[in-house]
Amino acid sequence: NAGVTQTPKFRVLKTGQSMTLLCAQDMNHEYMYWYRQDPGMGLRLIHYSVGEGTTAKGEVPDGYNVSRLKKQNFLLGLESAAPSQTSVYFCASSYWLGTGDQETQYFGPGTRLLVL
Amino acid sequence: AQTVTQSQPEMSVQEAETVTLSCTYDTSESNYYLFWYKQPPSRQMILVIRQEAYKQQNATENRFSVNFQKAAKSFSLKISDSQLGDTAMYFCAFTSNTGNQFYFGTGTSLTVIP
């Protein structure tokens, strides 16, 4: 049981390049999330998904796109990277909310992205 | 809208002593859940403790306990017998039964001094 995994762990991009971050979970969780973490700002939600085939915007969605074609995978795309997107990106997953003891969110190890 | 506030950006404690990290939140929900996560230098987010709002009893996990004051919307974390491995960033988080999101505070950086 690997939990939540993220690929890659570290990446350097040039301004204008594109890339996709992959998140995978093997816990059969319905909900998946992408956050970015910047110094002094905690975790900010980029996009989330409440089930296969669904996505929704979070607090800071601009410049990112996501897809959830399979329940276990949640992809985060940067179409044209900008230096402001330099950050640490975390994926997380949880069971559907409102079911009692299932609300705990589990995190991947993070992806460090540097945009030059 | 839900908000979570951690007013202590940095704290330090002597090894073996007790320290309390503060968290306040704002919500109009009646049924919700509160969490403390630990993020050591490895960056991995680790769940420390969770509390259901409908439970009056404060949650405890070994050396970690919370002081949940629902009326005051306060959720503090007490770490007893602090250890060097407790050095980390600590985040308070909130979610509710009616929402789809988790809300995080800005974190408290805790340093345990030998």
Side-chain angles (χ1 to χ4, degrees), chain A residues 31 33 35 37 40-43 45 48 50 57 88 90 94 97-98 100-101 103-105 107-109 112, chain B residues 33 35 37 39 42-45 47 50 52 54-55 89 91 95-97 99-102 104-107:
Chain A
Y31 285 31
Y33 313 80
Y35 295 91
Q37 183 179 25
M41 303 190 75
L43 288 161
L45 183 64
Y48 65 98
V50 300
K57 294 180 180 179
V88 178
F90 285 96
S94 68
L97 300 182
D101 292 334
E103 279 79 4
T104 301
Q105 200 170 53
F107 284 83
R112 190 163 148 250
Chain B
Y33 303 81
F35 308 83
Y37 282 89
Q39 187 180 41
S42 66
R43 286 207 308 266
Q44 180 69 51
M45 293 285 286
L47 177 68
R50 70 191 294 272
E52 294 88 347
Y54 60 86
K55 291 185 178 178
M89 182 74 80
F91 291 97
T95 192
S96 70
N97 275 0
N100 295 324
Q101 301 183 28
F102 287 71
F104 287 81
T106 52

Side-chain angles (χ1 to χ4, degrees), chain B residues 78-92:
Chain B
K78 186 173 83 170
I79 306 174
S80 304
D81 185 26
S82 296
Q83 301 175 359
L84 296 179
D86 295 334
T87 292
M89 182 74 80
Y90 287 82
F91 291 97
C92 179

Side-chain angles (χ1 to χ4, degrees), chain B residues 14-69:
Chain B
Q14 291 287 336
E15 192 175 7
E17 296 294 310
T18 295
V19 64
T20 299
L21 281 58
S22 301
C23 173
T24 59
Y25 59 94
D26 189 22
T27 183
S28 58
E29 302 281 351
S30 59
N31 196 13
Y32 50 88
Y33 303 81
L34 295 160
F35 308 83
W36 279 98
Y37 282 89
K38 168 185 176 180
Q39 187 180 41
S42 66
R43 286 207 308 266
Q44 180 69 51
M45 293 285 286
I46 303 165
L47 177 68
V48 175
I49 200 165
R50 70 191 294 272
Q51 172 83 42
E52 294 88 347
Y54 60 86
K55 291 185 178 178
Q56 293 188 348
Q57 186 173 5
N58 288 327
T60 62
E61 286 288 341
N62 300 315
R63 298 183 294 107
F64 299 88
S65 62
V66 298
N67 183 6
F68 174 47
Q69 302 288 329

Side-chain angles (χ1 to χ4, degrees), chain A residues 19-90:
Chain A
M19 78 163 294
T20 300
L21 282 65
L22 170 63
C23 175
Q25 53 93 5
D26 61 2
M27 295 175 282
N28 202 32
H29 285 169
E30 289 290 333
Y31 285 31
M32 296 187 75
Y33 313 80
W34 275 108
Y35 295 91
R36 60 177 290 172
Q37 183 179 25
D38 304 292
M41 303 190 75
L43 288 161
R44 293 186 291 169
L45 183 64
I46 304 171
H47 287 281
Y48 65 98
S49 167
V50 300
E52 182 177 324
T54 72
T55 63
K57 294 180 180 179
E59 180 186 355
V60 289
D62 294 341
Y64 305 95
N65 57 76
V66 288
S67 64
R68 182 103 180 266
L69 299 180
K70 294 182 179 180
K71 185 177 182 179
Q72 64 268 33
N73 295 338
F74 194 29
L75 304 178
L76 177 71
L78 287 74
E79 290 185 349
S80 180
S84 61
Q85 293 177 305
T86 292
S87 187
V88 178
Y89 292 85
F90 285 96

